[in-house]
Amino acid sequence: MKEKIKILTELTKIRITFFVMITTGFGYIAASGLINIDLIFLLIGVLLLACGSAALNHYQERHTDALMMRTKNRPIPSGKLSAKSALEISLLLILSGILLVALAGNIISAIFGILNLIWYNAIYTPLKKRTPFAIIPGSLVGAIPPVIGWAAAGGELLDPQILMIAFFFFIWQIPHFWLLLLVLDDDYIKAGMPTLTKIFSKEQLARITFIWIIATAISSMFLPMVALVETEVIKYLIVLSVLLLSINSLKLLKYSDNSPSINFAFRNINFFVLFIVSIISFDKLIL
């Protein structure tokens, strides 16, 4: 049983899909200022849908995964799970997830859930094999989950608040991926994937990524400007976190192959996003 659970968590990329659930919850709380039973079931539905999408991605990339050190031990290429079983699991998770999102939220939130599934599995996944810039349109995958939560809570889709939230998560996805690329580019090259390290040197890419990190930091400062934040203390905390992220990211400008700056920057930007989500959610819930 323990081994089966491990295989299932690997197949569903639970660390990534759990974050999708968190950002969906952020969108719901931003729109309603509530934590209720509808939100709980919505989050379960989104988690199931995201896990199904991740499992489908494993099925789609099973041949490429077998070529990379980072992914060759995944359930399908390692032989722990058959491709057919992975596909069946993914379809079951996807269908149950869509149904639960529709019931706990509404048709609009379910449509956005389906849109995200299509964008990730039918557009971004094959696009990765064609262009090293696939992450730019692919970042929409990170922007849509908070919209699902917002729509489920009855929020207006053209409200500046959700547009700014979606933009913030869209911008964050790009440096998040490029920081990974700086560490894992050899794997991508072995698998025949187009990478930016064939266009730019790692030093250049590190500097480009630094600019995108700063863009992510700046985009977070627009969140209070659309009345998403009311408490002055929260506004000051956002400014402080922006300054810390920017200062800590300066290490990327001195990139070297042996430098720990990439892993440090990766942890920093992810913690930054979680911090922003947490304090704004807290602000919405206490008012």
Side-chain angles (χ1 to χ4, degrees):
M1 179 60 68
K2 188 175 180 181
E3 181 64 22
K4 288 180 180 178
I5 292 173
K6 183 180 178 182
I7 291 171
L8 188 60
T9 56
E10 289 175 354
L11 182 70
T12 56
K13 303 181 182 180
I14 196 65
R15 285 181 294 181
I16 297 173
T17 52
F18 188 78
F19 190 78
V20 172
M21 185 183 72
I22 289 174
T23 57
T24 301
F26 177 53
Y28 189 97
I29 292 169
S32 67
L34 299 171
I35 293 177
N36 52 31
I37 192 67
D38 288 337
L39 173 59
I40 302 302
F41 282 110
L42 176 71
L43 296 184
I44 295 172
V46 167
L47 182 62
L48 291 173
L49 178 55
C51 286
S53 177
L56 181 57
N57 177 257
H58 272 254
Y59 175 81
Q60 291 175 287
E61 298 192 322
R62 61 193 185 279
H63 302 302
T64 304
D65 284 347
L67 302 174
M68 297 193 287
M69 289 294 296
R70 181 177 65 95
T71 56
K72 69 178 184 179
N73 290 319
R74 283 179 172 176
I76 300 176
S78 66
K80 297 173 187 174
L81 189 69
S82 70
K84 181 183 177 182
S85 295
L87 183 60
E88 290 171 349
I89 291 170
S90 72
L91 294 177
L92 178 62
L93 290 170
I94 288 168
L95 292 174
S96 57
I98 292 172
L99 179 61
L100 197 50
V101 169
L103 292 174
N106 48 46
I107 294 301
I108 296 175
S109 58
I111 289 172
F112 273 103
I114 294 169
L115 174 63
N116 216 27
L117 171 74
I118 292 171
W119 198 266
Y120 179 63
N121 294 102
I123 297 176
Y124 173 59
T125 295
L127 197 61
K128 286 193 298 183
K129 298 179 180 179
R130 295 179 176 273
T131 172
F133 296 99
I135 187 58
I136 297 177
S139 289
L140 279 175
V141 172
I144 292 176
V147 179
I148 296 174
W150 180 276
E156 170 59 49
L157 293 179
L158 295 180
D159 190 301
Q161 291 189 10
I162 189 56
L163 294 177
M164 196 63 243
I165 290 171
F167 179 74
F168 170 65
F169 283 105
F170 173 83
I171 293 293
W172 161 70
Q173 290 274 4
I174 296 170
H176 170 87
F177 176 78
W178 285 345
L179 286 168
L180 281 175
L181 178 61
L182 283 165
V183 177
L184 303 170
D185 69 302
D186 287 341
D187 254 1
Y188 284 99
I189 292 170
K190 286 177 184 176
M193 304 279 279
T195 69
L196 281 179
T197 51
K198 291 183 177 180
I199 301 173
F200 305 107
S201 68
K202 285 190 175 182
E203 291 77 11
Q204 290 173 320
L205 185 55
R207 291 194 290 270
I208 293 170
T209 303
F210 168 78
I211 294 171
W212 279 90
I213 291 174
I214 298 303
T216 303
I218 293 172
S219 69
S220 72
M221 298 183 70
F222 285 100
L223 297 174
M225 295 182 185
V226 292
L228 192 62
V229 179
E230 299 292 339
T231 309
E232 290 297 318
V233 173
I234 302 298
K235 294 177 182 179
Y236 289 129
L237 285 174
I238 291 174
V239 173
L240 178 61
S241 63
V242 164
L243 290 173
L244 288 174
L245 177 66
S246 302
I247 291 169
N248 288 331
S249 298
L250 288 171
K251 296 178 180 180
L252 285 173
L253 299 178
K254 298 180 180 179
Y255 172 85
S256 68
D257 286 335
N258 297 320
S259 172
S261 60
I262 301 302
N263 290 330
F264 180 77
F266 184 76
R267 289 193 301 270
N268 246 18
I269 194 170
N270 290 339
F271 178 77
F272 170 77
V273 171
L274 281 172
F275 182 72
I276 295 296
V277 166
S278 299
I279 61 174
I280 294 180
S281 296
F282 179 76
D283 184 67
K284 285 286 185 179
L285 291 169
I286 64 172
L287 291 178

PDB file of all heavy atoms in Angstrom, residues 174-205:
ATOM      1  N   ILE A 174       7.262  32.300 -15.202  1.00  0.00           N
ATOM      2  CA  ILE A 174       8.371  32.354 -16.165  1.00  0.00           C
ATOM      3  C   ILE A 174       9.736  32.245 -15.475  1.00  0.00           C
ATOM      4  O   ILE A 174      10.530  31.360 -15.818  1.00  0.00           O
ATOM      5  CB  ILE A 174       8.254  33.613 -17.046  1.00  0.00           C
ATOM      6  CG1 ILE A 174       6.962  33.514 -17.882  1.00  0.00           C
ATOM      7  CG2 ILE A 174       9.477  33.764 -17.957  1.00  0.00           C
ATOM      8  CD1 ILE A 174       6.596  34.772 -18.620  1.00  0.00           C
ATOM      9  N   PRO A 175      10.062  33.100 -14.490  1.00  0.00           N
ATOM     10  CA  PRO A 175      11.349  32.899 -13.807  1.00  0.00           C
ATOM     11  C   PRO A 175      11.399  31.602 -13.016  1.00  0.00           C
ATOM     12  O   PRO A 175      12.476  31.010 -12.870  1.00  0.00           O
ATOM     13  CB  PRO A 175      11.452  34.128 -12.887  1.00  0.00           C
ATOM     14  CG  PRO A 175      10.047  34.596 -12.710  1.00  0.00           C
ATOM     15  CD  PRO A 175       9.369  34.303 -14.003  1.00  0.00           C
ATOM     16  N   HIS A 176      10.257  31.146 -12.525  1.00  0.00           N
ATOM     17  CA  HIS A 176      10.193  29.865 -11.818  1.00  0.00           C
ATOM     18  C   HIS A 176      10.715  28.738 -12.711  1.00  0.00           C
ATOM     19  O   HIS A 176      11.539  27.917 -12.289  1.00  0.00           O
ATOM     20  CB  HIS A 176       8.744  29.606 -11.407  1.00  0.00           C
ATOM     21  CG  HIS A 176       8.480  28.235 -10.876  1.00  0.00           C
ATOM     22  ND1 HIS A 176       8.632  27.910  -9.562  1.00  0.00           N
ATOM     23  CD2 HIS A 176       8.072  27.094 -11.507  1.00  0.00           C
ATOM     24  CE1 HIS A 176       8.330  26.633  -9.386  1.00  0.00           C
ATOM     25  NE2 HIS A 176       7.983  26.112 -10.546  1.00  0.00           N
ATOM     26  N   PHE A 177      10.268  28.715 -13.971  1.00  0.00           N
ATOM     27  CA  PHE A 177      10.697  27.665 -14.901  1.00  0.00           C
ATOM     28  C   PHE A 177      12.145  27.862 -15.332  1.00  0.00           C
ATOM     29  O   PHE A 177      12.916  26.902 -15.408  1.00  0.00           O
ATOM     30  CB  PHE A 177       9.792  27.656 -16.130  1.00  0.00           C
ATOM     31  CG  PHE A 177      10.228  26.669 -17.180  1.00  0.00           C
ATOM     32  CD1 PHE A 177       9.954  25.317 -17.038  1.00  0.00           C
ATOM     33  CD2 PHE A 177      10.941  27.086 -18.303  1.00  0.00           C
ATOM     34  CE1 PHE A 177      10.379  24.397 -17.990  1.00  0.00           C
ATOM     35  CE2 PHE A 177      11.357  26.175 -19.255  1.00  0.00           C
ATOM     36  CZ  PHE A 177      11.076  24.824 -19.104  1.00  0.00           C
ATOM     37  N   TRP A 178      12.541  29.100 -15.606  1.00  0.00           N
ATOM     38  CA  TRP A 178      13.902  29.335 -16.088  1.00  0.00           C
ATOM     39  C   TRP A 178      14.955  29.055 -15.024  1.00  0.00           C
ATOM     40  O   TRP A 178      16.082  28.671 -15.345  1.00  0.00           O
ATOM     41  CB  TRP A 178      14.028  30.758 -16.632  1.00  0.00           C
ATOM     42  CG  TRP A 178      13.378  30.907 -17.986  1.00  0.00           C
ATOM     43  CD1 TRP A 178      12.994  29.898 -18.828  1.00  0.00           C
ATOM     44  CD2 TRP A 178      13.032  32.123 -18.662  1.00  0.00           C
ATOM     45  NE1 TRP A 178      12.434  30.406 -19.973  1.00  0.00           N
ATOM     46  CE2 TRP A 178      12.444  31.768 -19.903  1.00  0.00           C
ATOM     47  CE3 TRP A 178      13.149  33.478 -18.337  1.00  0.00           C
ATOM     48  CZ2 TRP A 178      11.992  32.714 -20.811  1.00  0.00           C
ATOM     49  CZ3 TRP A 178      12.699  34.423 -19.235  1.00  0.00           C
ATOM     50  CH2 TRP A 178      12.123  34.050 -20.464  1.00  0.00           C
ATOM     51  N   LEU A 179      14.595  29.214 -13.754  1.00  0.00           N
ATOM     52  CA  LEU A 179      15.518  28.829 -12.685  1.00  0.00           C
ATOM     53  C   LEU A 179      15.722  27.316 -12.687  1.00  0.00           C
ATOM     54  O   LEU A 179      16.845  26.834 -12.484  1.00  0.00           O
ATOM     55  CB  LEU A 179      14.978  29.296 -11.327  1.00  0.00           C
ATOM     56  CG  LEU A 179      15.083  30.802 -11.059  1.00  0.00           C
ATOM     57  CD1 LEU A 179      14.259  31.187  -9.839  1.00  0.00           C
ATOM     58  CD2 LEU A 179      16.537  31.227 -10.878  1.00  0.00           C
ATOM     59  N   LEU A 180      14.646  26.572 -12.927  1.00  0.00           N
ATOM     60  CA  LEU A 180      14.769  25.115 -13.057  1.00  0.00           C
ATOM     61  C   LEU A 180      15.632  24.746 -14.253  1.00  0.00           C
ATOM     62  O   LEU A 180      16.459  23.830 -14.190  1.00  0.00           O
ATOM     63  CB  LEU A 180      13.388  24.478 -13.207  1.00  0.00           C
ATOM     64  CG  LEU A 180      12.551  24.287 -11.949  1.00  0.00           C
ATOM     65  CD1 LEU A 180      11.179  23.752 -12.314  1.00  0.00           C
ATOM     66  CD2 LEU A 180      13.246  23.354 -10.973  1.00  0.00           C
ATOM     67  N   LEU A 181      15.435  25.465 -15.343  1.00  0.00           N
ATOM     68  CA  LEU A 181      16.179  25.185 -16.572  1.00  0.00           C
ATOM     69  C   LEU A 181      17.679  25.356 -16.370  1.00  0.00           C
ATOM     70  O   LEU A 181      18.480  24.598 -16.925  1.00  0.00           O
ATOM     71  CB  LEU A 181      15.687  26.106 -17.694  1.00  0.00           C
ATOM     72  CG  LEU A 181      16.392  25.977 -19.051  1.00  0.00           C
ATOM     73  CD1 LEU A 181      16.226  24.567 -19.617  1.00  0.00           C
ATOM     74  CD2 LEU A 181      15.846  27.006 -20.024  1.00  0.00           C
ATOM     75  N   LEU A 182      18.079  26.351 -15.581  1.00  0.00           N
ATOM     76  CA  LEU A 182      19.498  26.583 -15.328  1.00  0.00           C
ATOM     77  C   LEU A 182      20.158  25.400 -14.620  1.00  0.00           C
ATOM     78  O   LEU A 182      21.357  25.187 -14.734  1.00  0.00           O
ATOM     79  CB  LEU A 182      19.678  27.855 -14.490  1.00  0.00           C
ATOM     80  CG  LEU A 182      19.521  29.174 -15.262  1.00  0.00           C
ATOM     81  CD1 LEU A 182      19.361  30.349 -14.304  1.00  0.00           C
ATOM     82  CD2 LEU A 182      20.706  29.400 -16.192  1.00  0.00           C
ATOM     83  N   VAL A 183      19.351  24.626 -13.924  1.00  0.00           N
ATOM     84  CA  VAL A 183      19.862  23.443 -13.218  1.00  0.00           C
ATOM     85  C   VAL A 183      19.727  22.183 -14.064  1.00  0.00           C
ATOM     86  O   VAL A 183      20.606  21.316 -14.065  1.00  0.00           O
ATOM     87  CB  VAL A 183      19.113  23.260 -11.875  1.00  0.00           C
ATOM     88  CG1 VAL A 183      19.578  21.986 -11.169  1.00  0.00           C
ATOM     89  CG2 VAL A 183      19.309  24.465 -10.975  1.00  0.00           C
ATOM     90  N   LEU A 184      18.645  22.097 -14.821  1.00  0.00           N
ATOM     91  CA  LEU A 184      18.287  20.842 -15.493  1.00  0.00           C
ATOM     92  C   LEU A 184      18.455  20.879 -17.008  1.00  0.00           C
ATOM     93  O   LEU A 184      17.954  19.992 -17.701  1.00  0.00           O
ATOM     94  CB  LEU A 184      16.829  20.489 -15.167  1.00  0.00           C
ATOM     95  CG  LEU A 184      16.493  20.370 -13.681  1.00  0.00           C
ATOM     96  CD1 LEU A 184      14.983  20.270 -13.495  1.00  0.00           C
ATOM     97  CD2 LEU A 184      17.193  19.168 -13.061  1.00  0.00           C
ATOM     98  N   ASP A 185      19.155  21.865 -17.535  1.00  0.00           N
ATOM     99  CA  ASP A 185      19.229  22.014 -18.999  1.00  0.00           C
ATOM    100  C   ASP A 185      19.870  20.809 -19.682  1.00  0.00           C
ATOM    101  O   ASP A 185      19.484  20.443 -20.795  1.00  0.00           O
ATOM    102  CB  ASP A 185      19.974  23.305 -19.373  1.00  0.00           C
ATOM    103  CG  ASP A 185      21.449  23.232 -19.029  1.00  0.00           C
ATOM    104  OD1 ASP A 185      21.752  23.007 -17.843  1.00  0.00           O
ATOM    105  OD2 ASP A 185      22.292  23.404 -19.927  1.00  0.00           O
ATOM    106  N   ASP A 186      20.844  20.167 -19.035  1.00  0.00           N
ATOM    107  CA  ASP A 186      21.490  18.987 -19.637  1.00  0.00           C
ATOM    108  C   ASP A 186      20.485  17.874 -19.897  1.00  0.00           C
ATOM    109  O   ASP A 186      20.539  17.186 -20.922  1.00  0.00           O
ATOM    110  CB  ASP A 186      22.613  18.470 -18.725  1.00  0.00           C
ATOM    111  CG  ASP A 186      23.824  19.384 -18.733  1.00  0.00           C
ATOM    112  OD1 ASP A 186      23.947  20.191 -19.686  1.00  0.00           O
ATOM    113  OD2 ASP A 186      24.636  19.314 -17.798  1.00  0.00           O
ATOM    114  N   ASP A 187      19.551  17.701 -18.951  1.00  0.00           N
ATOM    115  CA  ASP A 187      18.508  16.693 -19.106  1.00  0.00           C
ATOM    116  C   ASP A 187      17.621  17.004 -20.306  1.00  0.00           C
ATOM    117  O   ASP A 187      17.280  16.124 -21.091  1.00  0.00           O
ATOM    118  CB  ASP A 187      17.649  16.642 -17.835  1.00  0.00           C
ATOM    119  CG  ASP A 187      17.948  15.389 -17.016  1.00  0.00           C
ATOM    120  OD1 ASP A 187      18.812  14.600 -17.439  1.00  0.00           O
ATOM    121  OD2 ASP A 187      17.316  15.196 -15.966  1.00  0.00           O
ATOM    122  N   TYR A 188      17.231  18.255 -20.429  1.00  0.00           N
ATOM    123  CA  TYR A 188      16.369  18.663 -21.548  1.00  0.00           C
ATOM    124  C   TYR A 188      17.073  18.463 -22.885  1.00  0.00           C
ATOM    125  O   TYR A 188      16.461  18.022 -23.864  1.00  0.00           O
ATOM    126  CB  TYR A 188      15.954  20.125 -21.390  1.00  0.00           C
ATOM    127  CG  TYR A 188      14.879  20.348 -20.355  1.00  0.00           C
ATOM    128  CD1 TYR A 188      15.188  20.786 -19.068  1.00  0.00           C
ATOM    129  CD2 TYR A 188      13.543  20.116 -20.657  1.00  0.00           C
ATOM    130  CE1 TYR A 188      14.204  20.990 -18.119  1.00  0.00           C
ATOM    131  CE2 TYR A 188      12.542  20.314 -19.710  1.00  0.00           C
ATOM    132  CZ  TYR A 188      12.881  20.751 -18.445  1.00  0.00           C
ATOM    133  OH  TYR A 188      11.905  20.937 -17.512  1.00  0.00           O
ATOM    134  N   ILE A 189      18.353  18.767 -22.922  1.00  0.00           N
ATOM    135  CA  ILE A 189      19.127  18.604 -24.160  1.00  0.00           C
ATOM    136  C   ILE A 189      19.232  17.125 -24.543  1.00  0.00           C
ATOM    137  O   ILE A 189      19.076  16.758 -25.711  1.00  0.00           O
ATOM    138  CB  ILE A 189      20.528  19.235 -24.004  1.00  0.00           C
ATOM    139  CG1 ILE A 189      20.398  20.765 -23.906  1.00  0.00           C
ATOM    140  CG2 ILE A 189      21.427  18.857 -25.173  1.00  0.00           C
ATOM    141  CD1 ILE A 189      21.682  21.461 -23.513  1.00  0.00           C
ATOM    142  N   LYS A 190      19.476  16.252 -23.552  1.00  0.00           N
ATOM    143  CA  LYS A 190      19.559  14.809 -23.804  1.00  0.00           C
ATOM    144  C   LYS A 190      18.260  14.264 -24.394  1.00  0.00           C
ATOM    145  O   LYS A 190      18.272  13.335 -25.205  1.00  0.00           O
ATOM    146  CB  LYS A 190      19.879  14.066 -22.501  1.00  0.00           C
ATOM    147  CG  LYS A 190      21.316  14.204 -22.028  1.00  0.00           C
ATOM    148  CD  LYS A 190      21.494  13.489 -20.702  1.00  0.00           C
ATOM    149  CE  LYS A 190      22.907  13.694 -20.160  1.00  0.00           C
ATOM    150  NZ  LYS A 190      23.066  13.067 -18.818  1.00  0.00           N
ATOM    151  N   ALA A 191      17.155  14.854 -23.954  1.00  0.00           N
ATOM    152  CA  ALA A 191      15.851  14.401 -24.425  1.00  0.00           C
ATOM    153  C   ALA A 191      15.454  15.046 -25.748  1.00  0.00           C
ATOM    154  O   ALA A 191      14.360  14.787 -26.258  1.00  0.00           O
ATOM    155  CB  ALA A 191      14.791  14.698 -23.369  1.00  0.00           C
ATOM    156  N   GLY A 192      16.343  15.871 -26.292  1.00  0.00           N
ATOM    157  CA  GLY A 192      16.068  16.509 -27.572  1.00  0.00           C
ATOM    158  C   GLY A 192      15.108  17.674 -27.490  1.00  0.00           C
ATOM    159  O   GLY A 192      14.500  18.064 -28.499  1.00  0.00           O
ATOM    160  N   MET A 193      14.966  18.247 -26.286  1.00  0.00           N
ATOM    161  CA  MET A 193      14.054  19.368 -26.096  1.00  0.00           C
ATOM    162  C   MET A 193      14.772  20.679 -26.420  1.00  0.00           C
ATOM    163  O   MET A 193      15.940  20.851 -26.065  1.00  0.00           O
ATOM    164  CB  MET A 193      13.555  19.409 -24.647  1.00  0.00           C
ATOM    165  CG  MET A 193      12.899  18.129 -24.183  1.00  0.00           C
ATOM    166  SD  MET A 193      11.200  17.978 -24.694  1.00  0.00           S
ATOM    167  CE  MET A 193      10.420  18.986 -23.448  1.00  0.00           C
ATOM    168  N   PRO A 194      14.104  21.617 -27.081  1.00  0.00           N
ATOM    169  CA  PRO A 194      14.722  22.923 -27.324  1.00  0.00           C
ATOM    170  C   PRO A 194      14.826  23.704 -26.019  1.00  0.00           C
ATOM    171  O   PRO A 194      13.862  23.752 -25.243  1.00  0.00           O
ATOM    172  CB  PRO A 194      13.745  23.592 -28.299  1.00  0.00           C
ATOM    173  CG  PRO A 194      12.437  22.949 -28.037  1.00  0.00           C
ATOM    174  CD  PRO A 194      12.742  21.536 -27.646  1.00  0.00           C
ATOM    175  N   THR A 195      15.976  24.266 -25.741  1.00  0.00           N
ATOM    176  CA  THR A 195      16.163  25.011 -24.495  1.00  0.00           C
ATOM    177  C   THR A 195      16.780  26.370 -24.774  1.00  0.00           C
ATOM    178  O   THR A 195      17.499  26.554 -25.765  1.00  0.00           O
ATOM    179  CB  THR A 195      17.089  24.255 -23.523  1.00  0.00           C
ATOM    180  OG1 THR A 195      18.421  24.258 -24.044  1.00  0.00           O
ATOM    181  CG2 THR A 195      16.624  22.827 -23.302  1.00  0.00           C
ATOM    182  N   LEU A 196      16.549  27.300 -23.869  1.00  0.00           N
ATOM    183  CA  LEU A 196      17.098  28.650 -24.020  1.00  0.00           C
ATOM    184  C   LEU A 196      18.616  28.673 -23.857  1.00  0.00           C
ATOM    185  O   LEU A 196      19.265  29.621 -24.291  1.00  0.00           O
ATOM    186  CB  LEU A 196      16.453  29.591 -22.997  1.00  0.00           C
ATOM    187  CG  LEU A 196      15.051  30.108 -23.343  1.00  0.00           C
ATOM    188  CD1 LEU A 196      14.535  31.001 -22.235  1.00  0.00           C
ATOM    189  CD2 LEU A 196      15.055  30.852 -24.664  1.00  0.00           C
ATOM    190  N   THR A 197      19.173  27.636 -23.237  1.00  0.00           N
ATOM    191  CA  THR A 197      20.620  27.603 -23.061  1.00  0.00           C
ATOM    192  C   THR A 197      21.347  27.340 -24.382  1.00  0.00           C
ATOM    193  O   THR A 197      22.576  27.428 -24.444  1.00  0.00           O
ATOM    194  CB  THR A 197      21.028  26.529 -22.030  1.00  0.00           C
ATOM    195  OG1 THR A 197      20.419  25.280 -22.383  1.00  0.00           O
ATOM    196  CG2 THR A 197      20.582  26.924 -20.633  1.00  0.00           C
ATOM    197  N   LYS A 198      20.579  27.014 -25.438  1.00  0.00           N
ATOM    198  CA  LYS A 198      21.171  26.909 -26.778  1.00  0.00           C
ATOM    199  C   LYS A 198      21.187  28.269 -27.476  1.00  0.00           C
ATOM    200  O   LYS A 198      21.856  28.442 -28.497  1.00  0.00           O
ATOM    201  CB  LYS A 198      20.385  25.908 -27.623  1.00  0.00           C
ATOM    202  CG  LYS A 198      20.530  24.463 -27.162  1.00  0.00           C
ATOM    203  CD  LYS A 198      19.786  23.522 -28.099  1.00  0.00           C
ATOM    204  CE  LYS A 198      19.970  22.070 -27.692  1.00  0.00           C
ATOM    205  NZ  LYS A 198      19.240  21.139 -28.602  1.00  0.00           N
ATOM    206  N   ILE A 199      20.433  29.209 -26.915  1.00  0.00           N
ATOM    207  CA  ILE A 199      20.363  30.557 -27.478  1.00  0.00           C
ATOM    208  C   ILE A 199      21.186  31.534 -26.650  1.00  0.00           C
ATOM    209  O   ILE A 199      21.906  32.372 -27.196  1.00  0.00           O
ATOM    210  CB  ILE A 199      18.894  31.032 -27.543  1.00  0.00           C
ATOM    211  CG1 ILE A 199      18.068  30.072 -28.402  1.00  0.00           C
ATOM    212  CG2 ILE A 199      18.798  32.467 -28.086  1.00  0.00           C
ATOM    213  CD1 ILE A 199      16.581  30.359 -28.395  1.00  0.00           C
ATOM    214  N   PHE A 200      21.082  31.397 -25.327  1.00  0.00           N
ATOM    215  CA  PHE A 200      21.825  32.260 -24.408  1.00  0.00           C
ATOM    216  C   PHE A 200      22.791  31.413 -23.588  1.00  0.00           C
ATOM    217  O   PHE A 200      22.551  30.223 -23.351  1.00  0.00           O
ATOM    218  CB  PHE A 200      20.870  32.975 -23.442  1.00  0.00           C
ATOM    219  CG  PHE A 200      19.783  33.769 -24.113  1.00  0.00           C
ATOM    220  CD1 PHE A 200      18.468  33.317 -24.105  1.00  0.00           C
ATOM    221  CD2 PHE A 200      20.068  34.973 -24.738  1.00  0.00           C
ATOM    222  CE1 PHE A 200      17.459  34.050 -24.710  1.00  0.00           C
ATOM    223  CE2 PHE A 200      19.067  35.715 -25.354  1.00  0.00           C
ATOM    224  CZ  PHE A 200      17.773  35.251 -25.342  1.00  0.00           C
ATOM    225  N   SER A 201      23.858  32.029 -23.134  1.00  0.00           N
ATOM    226  CA  SER A 201      24.727  31.355 -22.164  1.00  0.00           C
ATOM    227  C   SER A 201      23.984  31.311 -20.830  1.00  0.00           C
ATOM    228  O   SER A 201      23.010  32.044 -20.620  1.00  0.00           O
ATOM    229  CB  SER A 201      26.039  32.126 -22.000  1.00  0.00           C
ATOM    230  OG  SER A 201      25.803  33.376 -21.359  1.00  0.00           O
ATOM    231  N   LYS A 202      24.448  30.462 -19.935  1.00  0.00           N
ATOM    232  CA  LYS A 202      23.796  30.374 -18.630  1.00  0.00           C
ATOM    233  C   LYS A 202      23.913  31.691 -17.866  1.00  0.00           C
ATOM    234  O   LYS A 202      23.000  32.076 -17.123  1.00  0.00           O
ATOM    235  CB  LYS A 202      24.394  29.233 -17.808  1.00  0.00           C
ATOM    236  CG  LYS A 202      23.953  27.852 -18.265  1.00  0.00           C
ATOM    237  CD  LYS A 202      24.370  26.787 -17.282  1.00  0.00           C
ATOM    238  CE  LYS A 202      23.823  25.414 -17.672  1.00  0.00           C
ATOM    239  NZ  LYS A 202      24.176  24.373 -16.691  1.00  0.00           N
ATOM    240  N   GLU A 203      25.027  32.377 -18.051  1.00  0.00           N
ATOM    241  CA  GLU A 203      25.203  33.667 -17.397  1.00  0.00           C
ATOM    242  C   GLU A 203      24.171  34.669 -17.907  1.00  0.00           C
ATOM    243  O   GLU A 203      23.569  35.425 -17.127  1.00  0.00           O
ATOM    244  CB  GLU A 203      26.620  34.203 -17.631  1.00  0.00           C
ATOM    245  CG  GLU A 203      27.725  33.426 -16.916  1.00  0.00           C
ATOM    246  CD  GLU A 203      28.057  32.110 -17.615  1.00  0.00           C
ATOM    247  OE1 GLU A 203      27.590  31.898 -18.770  1.00  0.00           O
ATOM    248  OE2 GLU A 203      28.776  31.282 -17.010  1.00  0.00           O
ATOM    249  N   GLN A 204      23.944  34.669 -19.221  1.00  0.00           N
ATOM    250  CA  GLN A 204      22.941  35.564 -19.801  1.00  0.00           C
ATOM    251  C   GLN A 204      21.535  35.195 -19.331  1.00  0.00           C
ATOM    252  O   GLN A 204      20.731  36.071 -18.980  1.00  0.00           O
ATOM    253  CB  GLN A 204      23.003  35.503 -21.330  1.00  0.00           C
ATOM    254  CG  GLN A 204      24.247  36.144 -21.938  1.00  0.00           C
ATOM    255  CD  GLN A 204      24.331  35.913 -23.437  1.00  0.00           C
ATOM    256  OE1 GLN A 204      24.018  34.823 -23.923  1.00  0.00           O
ATOM    257  NE2 GLN A 204      24.762  36.933 -24.175  1.00  0.00           N
ATOM    258  N   LEU A 205      21.245  33.904 -19.313  1.00  0.00           N
ATOM    259  CA  LEU A 205      19.923  33.459 -18.895  1.00  0.00           C
ATOM    260  C   LEU A 205      19.680  33.793 -17.422  1.00  0.00           C
ATOM    261  O   LEU A 205      18.558  34.145 -17.038  1.00  0.00           O
ATOM    262  CB  LEU A 205      19.761  31.956 -19.123  1.00  0.00           C
ATOM    263  CG  LEU A 205      18.370  31.371 -18.829  1.00  0.00           C
ATOM    264  CD1 LEU A 205      17.292  32.101 -19.608  1.00  0.00           C
ATOM    265  CD2 LEU A 205      18.343  29.881 -19.141  1.00  0.00           C
TER     266      LEU A 205
END
